[in-house]
Amino acid sequence: MFSQASEYCHSLRSSVRTHHDILATPVISFSFGPVSRVFIGRALCCNCMHRCCLLLFRFGDSELWLVMDLAEEGTLRDYVARAAAQGQESGADAIVEERLHLAKGAAAGLKYLHDRKVQHRDIKTPNLLLSRDGSGRLTVKMGDFGLSRCQALVTATASSSSGGRSIGSPRWSSPEQLKREPYTDKSDVYSLGVVLWELLTLQLPWGESDTMQIMMAVLMKKQLEFPDVQTLPALLRPYHKLVASCLSLSADDRPTSQQVCQALSEGAGTVE
């Protein structure tokens, strides 16, 4: 069965660019039960052909098998934890450059989704998976689309809120998520900001605080704080203002994912 799936996946790689609209169109659902989440994830990912997003394929008209890229290097949270455990070694030039490369990849993946009117809604380092490209370089891939929504679905339901419940994971959730207010692309940007904060500081967001403590802190308008900027590697110091802007309590004060990508690519620490 696995070999058949592998062969089918290989054949789909050459044809999915032509047929992805057919795969995606009929499986959008308004229900968020376990099976519907599979359908939604499949619908979204069949339309996402980007190096920083997991490729997801289906096979069989009646079977719910999913075939996707193998992210053999674990999650970005694993990477951050390993780098933190290395201490001073994590500040070596090669590792610092790799951290910046992964930050650019996470931002590129989000921009790609936003360009296609998709909100991820659960961006966090455990959902960013790592693999190696043909040159052996680490590449980040955005995964877990179980909570994602496309603009058409939001419009159809006449709401962009969380439907009476907070969504995502509190360590990475925006203030509006925790207050169950309407969700926008800028809510994704806040979560991306937390991911970038992790890559810069190599710390766990909100430390050992539990879920309730985190929610109370955010609702009381507290923000993630940077350690002394001078303790950051020199290459990463210019970006702390960019990350701080992503973490603004007001969504209106946050940059767009496109602006974040541009700032990271140009080596700019702020958004114009």
Side-chain angles (χ1 to χ4, degrees), residues 13-210:
R13 282 184 181 275
S14 60
S15 62
V16 70
R17 196 174 289 275
T18 301
H19 295 87
H20 62 76
D21 288 334
I22 297 174
L23 291 174
T25 301
V27 295
I28 292 294
S29 170
F30 300 114
S31 168
F32 283 86
V35 173
S36 295
R37 285 189 179 184
V38 170
F39 281 144
I40 290 173
R42 187 172 71 188
L44 294 175
C45 291
C46 282
N47 228 353
C48 291
M49 305 291 292
H50 191 271
R51 61 182 175 79
C52 293
C53 292
L54 279 178
L55 293 176
L56 186 81
F57 304 111
R58 68 164 175 124
F59 66 94
D61 294 329
S62 61
E63 296 176 311
L64 295 177
W65 285 91
L66 302 177
V67 182
M68 67 186 71
D69 287 344
L70 173 64
E72 69 277 11
E73 298 293 334
T75 72
L76 191 56
R77 173 95 288 275
D78 297 331
Y79 175 91
V80 170
R82 287 196 302 268
Q86 289 174 348
Q88 291 185 344
E89 294 180 14
S90 63
D93 290 346
I95 301 298
V96 173
E97 290 175 3
E98 186 174 71
R99 287 156 63 184
L100 182 57
H101 170 68
L102 294 174
K104 291 177 180 178
L110 181 59
K111 176 185 177 297
Y112 181 86
L113 293 179
H114 286 179
D115 286 348
R116 281 146 188 79
K117 310 301 181 185
V118 175
Q119 295 167 352
H120 187 280
R121 297 188 164 222
D122 197 15
I123 295 173
K124 56 184 179 180
T125 45
N127 283 346
L128 295 171
L129 309 180
L130 301 177
S131 62
R132 294 193 181 273
D133 61 19
S135 67
R137 193 179 193 186
L138 271 183
T139 300
V140 65
K141 291 180 178 290
M142 194 165 288
D144 196 344
F145 290 80
L147 292 176
S148 300
R149 281 193 182 186
C150 61
Q151 188 178 65
L153 181 59
V154 171
T155 302
T157 57
S159 172
S160 58
S161 69
S162 59
R165 60 184 177 88
S166 61
I167 58 179
S169 305
R171 287 187 191 277
W172 293 268
S173 294
S174 66
E176 59 268 24
Q177 279 179 275
L178 297 179
K179 291 188 285 188
R180 303 178 184 179
E181 293 177 350
Y183 195 102
T184 68
D185 288 359
K186 295 289 188 73
S187 306
D188 272 347
V189 170
Y190 181 95
S191 299
L192 174 65
V194 180
V195 169
L196 300 181
W197 182 93
E198 288 180 79
L199 282 167
L200 262 63
T201 66
L202 299 182
Q203 296 180 15
L204 178 67
W206 303 107
E208 299 303 318
S209 299
D210 61 28

